[in-house]
Each structure stands twice: as structure tokens, then as C-alpha cells.
């Protein structure tokens, strides 16, 4: 009965697949300890004056066009292929302006680096998530994967690149701070070790009582990011993306990606077994034909 | 139809004439090309091929409607993802014949493998058109982004296209009359079939797992940790349905090749319908399980839910019942209609996942530019033209009398 | 994606419920799909296998026998002098062979009805001269699907015994088994040679002389050899349909 074999193959496949998926996703019991030496930036939006010196410094260091001085900050702006960071305006609890700086979050387990098939998007051991155009083939999967929608594409160019904040990796390697944090006059953005900054962020929240939203944005989002935010208004109002899982994105594909080695191992005996089985049945049928 | 022996005509380049021009002279051959279908193909290609050149000259911004919010359009969603799933007939029918031992299906095996081979070539061309820096595609061979499902897709597609090429060389060598090479490849066929099932499993599933990295962007009715199982099972279903459709069309279009030799295509179609009924039935239920597992049943009452129900109830469950009816009552027509519905459902599913239900919270929607659509059409047309060229010459549907198919 | 803990319970209930529902529905679904006319499928499959075993490669010229009675390739001969040939559409054509045609050269042909059942080795057709008729047996068992009316109306078509002289077509579900009783190719040729010799033995010495000198056998051989009254018995002998045999 030929459908039996086909049914068997189908059932075996689905069972194997489901088993592998369950096995894969059952992993990652708890958050892995973070290297305390990793760099980070603490953004305290209550201290930001909206001067946009950070935008100017970023544009200068990355050889991008200077930011438009006449831009209306209350209209939501996004980064683009020429603008790696923007400041958006919102309204504070007493009606005063609040400002949120948006740029690449330099996730601890970056989705873009997980997504990149050629490691053009890569996380340096020192922390920053950087882009190497010489490896990039322009598949734009990093853009699909990023929960913060940061990478932007140069669609208008013949040899387009993916563009985003690089955390001033070269400056950091030379012992300097990123351009934006050194340009900030009010200390709204401070550069340091992420672990220490996280402690400082929590200290401020607890010290100030009911002032701040009782959460550090970036502590757990997508498994933790290098850029940490504290604010006295909801983060969504500052044009910061919310609603993303707290599991690192690399975990989301770990299950599916652990399947191929099992497929490569299990399919040959399964399929060759089917082959031998069906060959044997055909032989028996033919023998019966000859005797019948 | 020219046979496999080369006769040296005095003064004439006999091989080219016999093999390529089907035994006709140039004038006669060119006249034979003047058919309505060829005219349509010519119109498509005359615009499409310069468009392709323009895309590479002017860049993606000038030719596509892609945006920062929608980095993937129909070249990925249709040409690559749908193209690859519709080429699944190669491994399903190949496995049916070589591994399950159902030799009856040999009559449609080679055309299914050819469809798969050309389908993958067209998917790769679509990918090359979509890549921003296509010259760097070889980087995947040296820089191992092995944490990426796309890396797995790239490698498996590369390996599988090679396997398909090797499987295709069997009729190719018969056409050229290269016996020794043919014998070598023929012996490798079982191993190649096993490899084709392995690679197909991996990359059909991996195409689904691409979207695991977009939990905030893909609508909950489609996003599931099991999406890679859905993609694999639907690939098997697509393989069965495409084999039904493609063999029906081929045996009608190329009926001249089959005079005197009887392949009961309707009988094979009904047999495939049996398999299709069961697979589609199971696929429908696992899709529902995916929705429940994701706690997303509330969405079924929304507009997105309606789209999901059209895709699963209308274009998976209903054709499953139609397959069953056709299989039970030996009605090939019902099976063929069901196959078309299934293919429609799978195309809708791939487009939903990659483009339609992607970025579902976004205020803007992506609509492909006419150039994107025309270039997609061009790639499909090139595939069909190549298919016809090859089937008219090589022993795909017919048997080459010099290479009898001894089972 | 965030779901509170308690929503796991209805979800699990639905999952298992759906799974059980699926299993319950699968059983009738499978039976429905697998039902239907399996005999037909099996028959079609087996005739396809036979098509592979009976290669339809046409040989231009029929193989020569002694020169008297021909049998072309692709045709299987029953010792009762009827033949069967598997056609492209899976049906089996049946007719009388060259020997039978020359032996009787009938003026009337009786054919079975469409839909009638024929059995291998049992009478199926009858050839007559207006007064007497002699039955011949069917080479295969099956159901008659179509009948060659043209031959019934003009028995002279029988002279092209393997072509336009075909008598009827059957659907033969046991072709595989049946054809083991039939003679193919070389065996058929030898058989006809043997029958020709046996026929020559019956002839009076003068006729036998003429025949062996290479003269072509005249039509209506049986009548020539045994006369108007005796031809039927002679024919029945060769056709294995002697009176008294079932």
C-alpha cells in the first residue's frame, strides 16, 4: 500500500521536526552573565536639553552631512543612511520638553549580527556592533531582523551600503569616548562600563523615588543592549521601540539552526531504510508474480 | 524528431542541426518559432531584459519600491521564496520514484527534476537582482555567518542546485550520447536523491526560520517557533501539486513526443492526489496548532484573521477535501483543480509571511513597482522558455531509444 | 508575544483537543481517500507493467515463417489460432490468426456483444460459410469493450488478420497470468510452422506435393482438404473446439 510509506515518511518528518524544535527551544535556561568590562552608555532623558550637539559630533566623525538646524524635533524623525542619530522631542510630566536620542543600541546579542550570513554585521569582542561593507552582499536581512529598525540602506547608490551608528569603535579602540558622549554638555549621555552604568541608573531611580519610570530601558530588551535609558515619561513617547521579547534574538533561531546536523545524520538511514524496504517489497511482489 | 545517431551530412554542421535546430535549417527553424505563445514571451523579454540591465546600472532605488521599512519585496518574497517552494517537485517525485520505489511515476520524474532545476536557477537570478552588492555573494563561502538562517539557506541552495544539475545531466548525457558519463551519473542517482531530500529539508525549513528573527514584525497568526516545520511540510505539498500541474501541462503541450508510448498521466495524477489529500489535511491542522501555541486565536476575528482563514481553510483544507474526492472517485479533473488551489495557497502563504503580513503594524504598506513585477515575470518567462527548449530536444518526457529505461 | 501564565491552560486544552480531533478525523479521512475502485487502479498498474514487458517497438517486416503463415511481432498467439495484442490504451485486441483465416476464409463472422465476458480457452467468436460455422476460443479472459463491426459486415477484412481484421477488444484484468499460456515471437513462429506441416500431412499426396513445392496455400484450405462437409470438423480440430469440448 503505497500511501502507508508516504504517510510514514510524513509522520516521521513532522515528529522529528517537532522533537528538534522542542529540544532547541528548551535550551537557554537563564540569562548568561554579562562581561562587566563591556562598554555602555547611560541616557538620562531628564537631563537632555535638546541641543543636538551629539547629532553634530556624530555627523562630523562619520563624514555625514551636518544635521538640519531648522528641523522640528516634535515631528518624529528617524535615522537614515546619512543620519546615524536623531533626537526626538516629547512632553514631560509638567509640560516641559523631553528629548530622546535614537541610535543603534549595540545589543549584547545583536539580531543583525545573528542575521548576517557573511558577518558583515559583526559584534566586536570589545562591544560595538560594526559593519564591514567589503563583506556585505546587500541581502538586507539585518534590516529585517533589527527590532529597533536601525540599519538603513543606500538604495540610491550603485554599490549600496547598510548605514548605522558604529559606537565610534575606532575611537574606543584608541581609548577615546564616542563622539556624541564627549560632545554632550549636560551629561545626559555618559559613557562607561555597562555594568557600572546599570548600577548608576538603578541608583538614580531608587534615589529619586517616584520620578523615574521604574525600569531601565535596555537592561533586558532583546537580552540586553549597550545603551541604557532612564526616563520620567513612558519610553514609547520618546520614540523608543517597545514590545520586543526579552530573549536574545540569537536564541529565537537556535532551535531551528540546531536541526541541520540532525537532519544530515538521521535522514540517510531513514531514507535508505525506506529504499531497502520498498526494494524488498518489489522483489517479493515480482517473485509472487512469477510463481502465481 | 531527430534521433540519437549523428549522420554526417556532407558540408552541414550535422550535430548542431540535428540536436539544436531539431533537424531543420535556420530559415525553417525560425519560421517554426512564430507562435502566439512565443510572441507573448518575446514581448515580455524584450522589455524585461533591458529592465534587468537597467536595474544593475541604476540601482535598487530607481527600479524598486523597497523602503527602509520594507527591505524585502517580491523579488525575495516571490521569486526567491515562492520559486524555491514551487520547485519542490524535484525532491518529492525523485524520492517517490527512487526511494519509495513507485516506478510508475518515472514518467514524470525527469520533468519534475527539470522544473526544480530551472526553478532554482530562476530563484538565484531573482536573488542576484535583489542583492545590493551581488558580487559579494561569494563571501558566503569564506565568511561563515553560521548563526544566520540565511547562511544555511545560501549553502543548502548552492549544494542543492549542484545536486539538481547532476541529476539533470542524466538526460543531458543521453542527448549528447556520452555513454560513460551517463553510466556514472546514473549509478549516483540514489545517493543524489538522498542528498536532494536532505538539502531540501534543510533549506525549505531554513527559509521559514528566516522569519524567526522578526517576532515584532510578522503578524502573530503567521509567526511561530514552528514556522520552519510549516515551510517544510508545505514544500512537500507544493511538490506534489506542482508535479500534478506540470505533468498535466507538459503531457498535453508535448503530446507529439509521446505518440505510441502511453503514460497514464491521469492515473499518476490521481495517485498524487491521494498523497496530497493526506498531507494537506495534516498541514491544515499543524497550522492551527501553531496559532494555538502562539496564543494568537484572538486574531482570527480580525481582518488579518480573515486573510489567514482564506489561506488555510480556503486554500489548504478545501483542496484537501477536493484531493480526497478526486482520489477516491478517480477524477483527475478534481485533483488538478485542487492542485491549482494548493499552489495558490502556498504562493499566498509565502507572500503573506514575507511581504503582506510583514510589518503588519506599520502605517505604510509595500506595493511592488511595475518594474519589479515585470522583472519577476521576465524571470518566470525565461524559465518556461528554457523548459520548452530542453524538453523539445532532450529525453525528458520521451525515452531515448539508445538509453532504454530498465527498471 | 507576552502571554500571562494562566492563558497557558486554555491554550493547552485547545492544543490537545485539536490534536485528538485531528486523530479522530484522520481515520475516516484515510479510509475515504484509500477507498474507491482499487481494482481499477491495480488493473491499470498491472497493464502498465505488461506494457513494459511487451515492448511496443515495431519491427518493420514480420518475421518469416515457412513462408505460409505469418505472425508479426507484438502479437501473442493462442494455440487455438487466435491472437492477442496489448494496445497503447491498455486494452487487448483480439483476432484470428493468418492460419485460421486461410483455413476457413469465412463469409460470416459472429462476434461477442460489448460487455460480454470472455474466458481464455472458451469459445468467443465463430467463423462460417453460410451453412456451417466453427467457433474459436478467446486468447485472454476479460470483458469485451468494443467490437469491430466492419469485419462483421465485410469478412474479407479478415485477410489483414492482424490489422484491420481485428475482432474485438477486451479489458483483461489477468493479462499477466493469461499471457503465460500464449505463444510469443519465436515460439509462435515455430508453432505455426508445426501447424502448417500438420496441415500438409492431411493433404492428399498431390496437394501436399504442390504445397511443399512452395505454392502458396489457397484460401479456404479446410474446404479444399476436407470438402464442404468435412471442413468444419477439420477446423475444429485445429481450433481446439471439437464438438464435445466445453
Amino acid at each position: 500500500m503505497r500511501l502507508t510509506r508516504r504517510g510514514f515518511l510524513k509522520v516521521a518528518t513532522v515528529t522529528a521536526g517537532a522533537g528538534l524544535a522542542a529540544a532547541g527551544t528548551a535550551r537557554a535556561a537563564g540569562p548568561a552573565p554579562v562581561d562587566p568590562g563591556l562598554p555602555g552608555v547611560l541616557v538620562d532623558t531628564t537631563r537632555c536639553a535638546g541641543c543636538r550637539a551629539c547629532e553634530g559630533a556624530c555627523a562630523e566623525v562619520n563624514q555625514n552631512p551636518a544635521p538640519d538646524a531648522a528641523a522640528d524635533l516634535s515631528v518624529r524623525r528617524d535615522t537614515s543612511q546619512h543620519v546615524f542619530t536623531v533626537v526626538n522631542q516629547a512632553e514631560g510630566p509638567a509640560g516641559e520638553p523631553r528629548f530622546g536620542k535614537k541610535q543603534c543600541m549595540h545589543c549584547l546579542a545583536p539580531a543583525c549580527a545573528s542575521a548576517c550570513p557573511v558577518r558583515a554585521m559583526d559584534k566586536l569582542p570589545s562591544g560595538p556592533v560594526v559593519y564591514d561593507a567589503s563583506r556585505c552582499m546587500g541581502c538586507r536581512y539585518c534590516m529585517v531582523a533589527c527590532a529597533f529598525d536601525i540599519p538603513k540602506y543606500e538604495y540610491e547608490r550603485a554599490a549600496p551600503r547598510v548605514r548605522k551608528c558604529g559606537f565610534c569603535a575606532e575611537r574606543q579602540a584608541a581609548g577615546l569616548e564616542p563622539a556624541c558622549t564627549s560632545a554632550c554638555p549636560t551629561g545626559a549621555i555618559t559613557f562607561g562600563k555597562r555594568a557600572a552604568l546599570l548600577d548608576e541608573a538603578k541608583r538614580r531611580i531608587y534615589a529619586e523615588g517616584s520620578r523615574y519610570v521604574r525600569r531601565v530601558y535596555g537592561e533586558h530588551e532583546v537580552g540586553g543592549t549597550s545603551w541604557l535609558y532612564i526616563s520620567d515619561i513612558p519610553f514609547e513617547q520618546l520614540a523608543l521601540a517597545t514590545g520586543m521579547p526579552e530573549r536574545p534574538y540569537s536564541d529565537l533561531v537556535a532551535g531551528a539552526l540546531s536541526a541541520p546536523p540532525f537532519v544530515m545524520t538521521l535522514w540517510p538511514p531513514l531514507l535508505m531504510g525506506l529504499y531497502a524496504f520498498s526494494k524488498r517489497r518489489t522483489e517479493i511482489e515480482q517473485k509472487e508474480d512469477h510463481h502465481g | 524528431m531527430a534521433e540519437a545517431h549523428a549522420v554526417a551530412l556532407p558540408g552541414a554542421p550535422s550535430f548542431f542541426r540535428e540536436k539544436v535546430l531539431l533537424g531543420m535549417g535556420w530559415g525553417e527553424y525560425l519560421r517554426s518559432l512564430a507562435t502566439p505563445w512565443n510572441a507573448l514571451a518575446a514581448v515580455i523579454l524584450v522589455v524585461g531584459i533591458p529592465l534587468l540591465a537597467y536595474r544593475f546600472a541604476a540601482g535598487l532605488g530607481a527600479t524598486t519600491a523597497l523602503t527602509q521599512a520594507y527591505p524585502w519585496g517580491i523579488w525575495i518574497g516571490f521569486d526567491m521564496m515562492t520559486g524555491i517552494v514551487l520547485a519542490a517537485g524535484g525532491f518529492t517525485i525523485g524520492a517517490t520514484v527512487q526511494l519509495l520505489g513507485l516506478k510508475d511515476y518515472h514518467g514524470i520524474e525527469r520533468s519534475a527534476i527539470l522544473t526544480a532545476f530551472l526553478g532554482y536557477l530562476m530563484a538565484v537570478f531573482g536573488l542576484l537582482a535583489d542583492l545590493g552588492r551581488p558580487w559579494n555573494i561569494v563571501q558566503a563561502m569564506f565568511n561563515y555567518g553560521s548563526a544566520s538562517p540565511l547562511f544555511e539557506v545560501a549553502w543548502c541552495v548552492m549544494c542543492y542546485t549542484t545536486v539538481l544539475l547532476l541529476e539533470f545531466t542524466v538526460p543531458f548525457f543521453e542527448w549528447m550520447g556520452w555513454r560513460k558519463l551517463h553510466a556514472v551519473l546514473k549509478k549516483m542517482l540514489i545517493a543524489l536523491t538522498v542528498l536532494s531530500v536532505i538539502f531540501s529539508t534543510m533549506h525549505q525549513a531554513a527559509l521559514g526560520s528566516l522569519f524567526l528573527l522578526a517576532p515584532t514584525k510578522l503578524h502573530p497568526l503567521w509567526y511561530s517557533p514552528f514556522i520552519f516545520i510549516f515551510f517544510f511540510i508545505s514544500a512537500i505539498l507544493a511538490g506534489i501539486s506542482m508535479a500534478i500541474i506540470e505533468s498535466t501541462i507538459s503531457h498535453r503541450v508535448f503530446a507529439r513526443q509521446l505518440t505510441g508510448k502511453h503514460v497514464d498521466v491521469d492515473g499518476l495524477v490521481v495517485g498524487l492526489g491521494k498523497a496530497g489529500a493526506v498531507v494537506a489535511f495534516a498541514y491544515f491542522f499543524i497550522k492551527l496548532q501553531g496559532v494555538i501555541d502562539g496564543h494568537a486565536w484572538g486574531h482570527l476575528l480580525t481582518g488579518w484573521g480573515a486573510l489567514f482563514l482564506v489561506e488555510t481553510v480556503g486554500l489548504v483544507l478545501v483542496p484537501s477535501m477536493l484531493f480526497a474526492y478526486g482520489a477516491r472517485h478517480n477524477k483527475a479533473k478534481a485533483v488538478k483543480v485542487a492542485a491549482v488551489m494548493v499552489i495558490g495557497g502556498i504562493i499566498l502563504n509565502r507572500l503573506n509571511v514575507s511581504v503582506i503580513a510583514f510589518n503588519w503594524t506599520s502605517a505604510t504598506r509595500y506595493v511592488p513597482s511595475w518594474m519589479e513585477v515585470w522583472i519577476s515575470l521576465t524571470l518566470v518567462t525565461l524559465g518556461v522558455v528554457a523548459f520548452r527548449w530542453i524538453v523539445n530536444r532532450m529525453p525528458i518526457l520521451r525515452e531515448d531509444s539508445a538509453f532504454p529505461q530498465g527498471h | 508575544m507576552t502571554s500571562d501564565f494562566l492563558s497557558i491552560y486554555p491554550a493547552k486544552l485547545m492544543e490537545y483537543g485539536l490534536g485528538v480531533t485531528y486523530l479522530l478525523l484522520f481515520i475516516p479521512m484515510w479510509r475515504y481517500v484509500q477507498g474507491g475502485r482499487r481494482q481499477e487502479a491495480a488493473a491499470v498498474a498491472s497493464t502498465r507493467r505488461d506494457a513494459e514487458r511487451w515492448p511496443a517497438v515495431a519491427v518493420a517486416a514480420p518475421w518469416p515463417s515457412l513462408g505460409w503463415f505469418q505472425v508479426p511481432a507484438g502479437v501473442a498467439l493462442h494455440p487455438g489460432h487466435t491472437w492477442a495484442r496489448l494496445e497503447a490504451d491498455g486494452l487487448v485486441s483480439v483476432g484470428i490468426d493468418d492460419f485460421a483465416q486461410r483455413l476457413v476464409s469465412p463469409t460470416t463472422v459472429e462476434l461477442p456483444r460489448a460487455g460480454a465476458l470472455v474466458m481464455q480457452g472458451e469459445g468467443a467468436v465463430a467463423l462460417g460459410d453460410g451453412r456451417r460455422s466453427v467457433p474459436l476460443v478467446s486468447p485472454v479472459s476479460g470483458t469485451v469493450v468494443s467490437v469491430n463491426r466492419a469485419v462483421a459486415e465485410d469478412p474479407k477484412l479478415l485477410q489483414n488478420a492482424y490489422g484491420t481484421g481485428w475482432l474485438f477488444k477486451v479489458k483483461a484484468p489477468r493479462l499477466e497470468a493469461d499471457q503465460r499460456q500464449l505463444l510469443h515471437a519465436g515460439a509462435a513462429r515455430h508453432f505455426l510452422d508445426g501447424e502448417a506441416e500438420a496441415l500438409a500431412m492431411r493433404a492428399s499426396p498431390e496437394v501436399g506435393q504442390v504445397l511443399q513445392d512452395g505454392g502458396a496455400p489457397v484460401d479456404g484450405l479446410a474446404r479444399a482438404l476436407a470438402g464442404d462437409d468435412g471442413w468444419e470438423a477439420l477446423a475444429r480440430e485445429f481450433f481446439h473446439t471439437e464438438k464435445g469440448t466445453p
Side-chain angles (χ1 to χ4, degrees), chain B residues 104 215 223 260 262 264 274 277-278 281-282 285 288-289 292-293 295 297 320-321 324-325 327-330 407, chain C residues 1 3 7-8 11 14-15 18-19 22 25-26 29-37 40 44-45 48 52 88:
Chain B
D104 292 337
Y223 184 89
H262 180 66
D264 181 15
K274 274 193 194 173
V278 177
F281 190 65
F285 276 90
L288 281 188
Q289 293 284 21
I292 295 174
D293 177 78
H295 296 218
W297 53 84
S320 160
M321 299 291 105
Y325 171 77
R328 182 184 177 88
H329 298 286
N330 233 328
H407 299 310
Chain C
M1 282 298 289
S3 45
S7 65
I8 292 178
M14 280 192 266
E15 273 178 37
L18 189 67
Y22 167 74
L25 289 174
F26 188 83
M29 204 265 181
W30 179 270
R31 290 169 56 122
Y32 177 80
V33 166
Q34 291 288 65
R37 288 165 292 172
E40 201 148 285
V44 172
R48 268 206 296 282
E52 288 155 332

Side-chain angles (χ1 to χ4, degrees), chain B residues 1-3 13-26 28-30 32-33 172 175-176 388-394 398:
Chain B
M1 199 68 49
E3 283 301 8
S14 66
F15 175 82
F16 186 76
R17 209 186 138 100
E18 290 296 314
K19 294 288 184 188
V20 178
L21 297 185
L22 300 175
M24 298 184 256
W26 268 112
E28 197 188 336
Y29 177 69
L30 288 173
S32 77
L33 292 181
F172 176 72
W175 183 58
M176 299 295 280
R388 276 180 45 206
W389 195 94
I390 291 176
V391 172
N392 273 330
R393 287 160 183 74
M394 303 189 200
R398 63 182 173 85

